[in-house]
Amino acid sequence: MTGFLTRLLFLCSIFFLVGCGDPKFITYDGPEVTRVAVYKEARVMLLYSGDEIIKGHRIDLGFGPRGHKQFEGDGRTPEGRYEIDRRNPESSFYLSLGISYPNAEDIAFARAAGKEPGGDIFIHGQANRFGKRGPDWTAGCIAVTNDEMRQIYAMVKDGTVVDIYP
């Protein structure tokens, strides 16, 4: 019986140690990602190095996916040219890369209508608390799986251009 308990303890400790590693952060040594292109209608995000596509992902969008984000709370994903301007390794959505929405034009449009443009638009993984919720569940962000987000987080640097198309 002692041998059995010793082996059981040994196996449990191995499983514990394997589970303690942080698989969120990986390294990437491939071609530089120079642009991220998001095609909302097709629900696809492509990572480019120059003119070459190096990775593609299926995506979920905001719950109001049609049209450009105009106001805070409209649930839409913005359209236009932005850039990655921040990263959050402690995101409630696994990992996240911030998109520079709103730009000056977005702010002016919303304020002219007497509203706020909103913000906090990210490329991110799944909700840590509830997991994937189905298509077009975000509040305007671009969502991928956690495995994909781990790769994207390693590949895409701050300052990378993000083009979001209808």
Side-chain angles (χ1 to χ4, degrees):
M1 187 64 143
T2 303
F4 172 76
L5 288 177
T6 303
R7 282 182 280 182
L8 182 61
L9 266 171
F10 176 74
L11 287 174
C12 286
S13 62
I14 287 175
F15 288 127
F16 176 78
L17 290 174
V18 169
C20 285
D22 188 358
K24 286 191 335 184
F25 303 105
I26 61 172
T27 57
Y28 172 73
D29 62 358
E32 177 186 6
V33 176
T34 57
R35 184 169 75 96
V36 175
V38 175
Y39 299 91
K40 289 171 54 175
E41 188 170 334
R43 303 298 190 278
V44 172
M45 178 173 65
L46 302 175
L47 306 183
Y48 285 86
S49 182
D51 292 333
E52 182 182 341
I53 297 170
I54 56 175
K55 198 78 170 168
H57 302 281
R58 300 285 308 152
I59 58 172
D60 293 326
L61 299 170
F63 58 81
R66 293 203 184 273
H68 174 59
K69 181 167 192 60
Q70 296 178 325
F71 310 117
E72 185 172 33
D74 66 8
R76 294 179 180 166
T77 301
E79 296 171 0
R81 176 161 275 197
Y82 300 94
E83 67 180 42
I84 298 299
D85 65 355
R86 62 201 181 280
R87 52 189 57 236
N88 184 356
E90 301 299 325
S91 173
S92 295
F93 298 90
Y94 190 63
L95 293 169
S96 62
L97 297 172
I99 296 175
S100 62
Y101 175 88
N103 61 28
E105 187 178 309
D106 298 322
I107 294 168
F109 180 85
R111 298 250 167 95
K115 298 185 177 188
E116 291 298 319
D120 285 337
I121 301 297
F122 288 87
I123 299 169
H124 62 66
Q126 301 301 310
N128 290 339
R129 243 187 178 161
F130 306 107
K132 186 172 175 152
R133 300 179 192 182
D136 299 333
W137 57 271
T138 78
C141 295
I142 300 159
V144 294
T145 68
N146 289 349
D147 285 341
E148 292 169 327
M149 191 62 220
R150 183 173 42 252
Q151 294 171 4
I152 295 164
Y153 196 86
M155 294 172 76
V156 178
K157 304 299 177 208
D158 290 357
T160 302
V161 170
V162 179
D163 289 318
I164 306 172
Y165 301 102

